[in-house]
């Protein structure tokens, strides 16, 4: 449902932001339909939460696809972290690819069928570990 709302907002060239924990919409007069306005009002808290999650992921270095349905983080040549939403749950995994290959040669599930927050904690912990390794702080 959130994907459809974000898709409609995007197609109507409406900007949606959070300002002081409230949704802020920027649009040309006549663009926002009554139906869309009701959907936004009905799902306001979920929209705010998704926007906050997307910003949190963006700050960590993730690329965000499909309005927060899929997140991608590249941490090396052919090395990626992903978080994908599956309804109310999420799955997080690492995947390693050889150049020119479309299928990974190695995958590792980090979290499966957990709330998004838990999946994000898992990948954020891995990213933090990677950054410590790059700085030379082994085992920290």
């Amino acid at each position: 449902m959130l994907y459809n709302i974000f898709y409609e907002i995007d197609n109507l060239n409406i900007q949606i932001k959070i300002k002081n924990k409230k949704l802020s919409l920027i649009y040309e007069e006549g663009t926002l339909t009554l139906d869309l306005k009701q959907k936004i009002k009905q799902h306001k808290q979920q929209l705010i939460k998704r926007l906050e999650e997307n910003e949190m992921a963006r700050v960590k270095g993730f690329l965000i696809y499909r309005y927060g349905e899929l997140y991608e983080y590249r941490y090396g040549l052919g090395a990626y972290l992903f978080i994908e939403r599956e309804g109310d749950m999420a799955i997080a995994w690492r995947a390693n690819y050889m150049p020119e290959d479309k299928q990974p040669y190695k995958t590792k599930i980090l979290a499966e069928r957990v709330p998004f927050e838990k999946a994000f904690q898992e990948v954020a912990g891995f990213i933090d570990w990677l950054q410590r390794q790059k700085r030379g702080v082994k085992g920290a």
Side-chain angles (χ1 to χ4, degrees):
M1 176 49 115
L2 289 184
Y3 171 81
N4 293 335
I5 294 171
F6 280 117
Y7 181 81
E8 195 171 345
I9 287 169
D10 195 32
N11 279 337
L12 293 172
N13 202 26
I14 297 171
Q15 292 181 36
I16 183 169
K17 299 179 181 189
I18 301 173
K19 217 180 218 182
N20 301 324
K21 291 283 184 185
K22 294 182 180 183
L23 279 181
S24 172
L25 300 172
I26 302 167
Y27 56 93
E28 290 184 23
E29 192 169 331
T31 306
L32 185 61
T33 64
L34 184 58
D35 180 53
L36 180 57
K37 191 174 185 177
Q38 289 173 337
K39 287 179 194 173
I40 291 169
K41 197 173 202 176
Q42 181 181 357
H43 297 282
K44 185 169 112 177
Q45 293 308 321
Q46 295 140 309
L47 290 167
I48 289 171
K49 185 177 181 208
R50 177 68 60 91
L51 289 168
E52 289 173 343
E53 290 169 347
N54 288 351
E55 183 56 27
M56 182 174 61
R58 193 174 288 109
V59 166
K60 200 69 173 167
F62 279 87
L63 297 175
I64 300 158
Y65 301 102
R66 294 179 45 96
Y67 314 107
E69 295 292 315
L70 178 68
Y71 302 81
E72 173 190 306
Y73 180 91
R74 182 175 176 185
Y75 63 93
L77 183 62
Y80 297 87
L81 286 171
F82 297 99
I83 304 172
E84 185 173 14
R85 293 179 193 270
E86 298 176 336
D88 291 338
M89 295 294 168
I91 181 172
W93 74 97
R94 294 188 334 229
N96 297 88
Y97 297 82
M98 293 299 288
E100 307 301 320
D101 283 352
K102 293 183 180 181
Q103 295 296 319
Y105 68 86
K106 181 179 174 185
T107 60
K108 172 145 174 66
I109 303 294
L110 301 175
E112 190 170 15
R113 305 226 18 93
V114 297
F116 176 83
E117 297 80 13
K118 175 72 173 146
F120 187 80
Q121 284 176 343
E122 289 294 324
V123 296
F126 181 75
I127 292 168
D128 293 343
W129 177 82
L130 281 172
Q131 290 172 344
R132 286 192 304 271
Q133 297 304 309
K134 286 180 183 176
R135 288 193 306 261
V137 183
K138 304 288 183 202

